[in-house]
Amino acid sequence: MQEMQPLKVNSYLSAGEIKTLLENVEYILMAEPSMMVDELPIHFTIILNTSDVIPDEVKPLILEKFSRELGISATSHVLSNRERIAFAMTTQETPMPKHIVDDAEANSIPWTLLHIIDFLGDSDGFKEAKDGLSGWSYSYN
């Protein structure tokens, strides 16, 4: 596996820029190599463009829908909750979503509250993540 360098963050979107970015976004899908390769090879994060509280009984149904549509054959270590998301400008074409877990970091950069589904999984459709690459894509409505 080729070692890749992390993307350099040039800046973060402001609160107004985040709002504009998300105007027609349905969800953002992120995939990267799992740090727990003995379990499942890919770390997925699905960022839903909503800050609404999703009922607990609906959360597994949403994961099942995405798994079916994306060809994800197994899942584990699922987190489904509203979380702080910032958007970083890098050399890539679209802003990189960043899950903010540290309170000090949350106080220093703009973010928005969005619902994320974060989990380990496996899929033949994400060969790049299995090969050590990370990426994200925006789905628009």
Side-chain angles (χ1 to χ4, degrees):
M1 180 181 343
Q2 181 181 351
E3 185 172 332
M4 297 292 170
Q5 297 299 316
L7 288 174
K8 181 180 181 292
V9 173
N10 299 321
S11 63
Y12 288 95
L13 296 184
S14 68
E17 290 169 325
I18 292 170
K19 184 177 179 185
T20 300
L21 172 74
L22 295 175
E23 279 179 357
N24 293 312
V25 171
E26 184 179 2
Y27 66 89
I28 303 164
L29 173 66
M30 301 179 72
E32 62 185 353
S34 170
M35 294 182 76
M36 300 171 70
V37 291
D38 292 342
E39 297 197 25
L40 291 169
I42 305 170
H43 175 201
F44 289 99
T45 304
I46 301 168
I47 304 169
L48 304 176
N49 188 10
T50 183
S51 61
D52 293 346
V53 174
I54 296 175
D56 287 339
E57 59 273 10
V58 175
K59 290 177 183 180
L61 301 174
I62 295 171
L63 178 58
E64 287 173 23
K65 173 192 179 292
F66 276 103
S67 294
R68 187 174 51 254
E69 290 177 1
L70 298 170
I72 298 170
S73 58
T75 61
S76 70
H77 297 81
V78 178
L79 163 72
S80 185
N81 203 15
R82 297 182 314 158
E83 298 288 335
R84 300 175 290 205
I85 305 295
F87 291 88
M89 296 304 299
T90 66
T91 57
Q92 300 301 306
E93 189 174 314
T94 56
M96 178 181 69
K98 182 176 180 184
H99 182 190
I100 306 296
V101 293
D102 180 60
D103 290 336
E105 187 173 32
N107 290 330
S108 67
I109 60 175
W111 54 269
T112 190
L113 190 65
L114 297 172
H115 192 95
I116 71 166
I117 305 168
D118 193 74
F119 60 98
L120 299 182
D122 195 3
S123 174
D124 292 335
F126 293 84
K127 181 183 179 318
E128 295 87 354
K130 288 183 179 182
D131 289 343
L133 298 175
S134 299
W136 60 90
S137 70
Y138 287 69
S139 178
Y140 299 91
N141 50 9

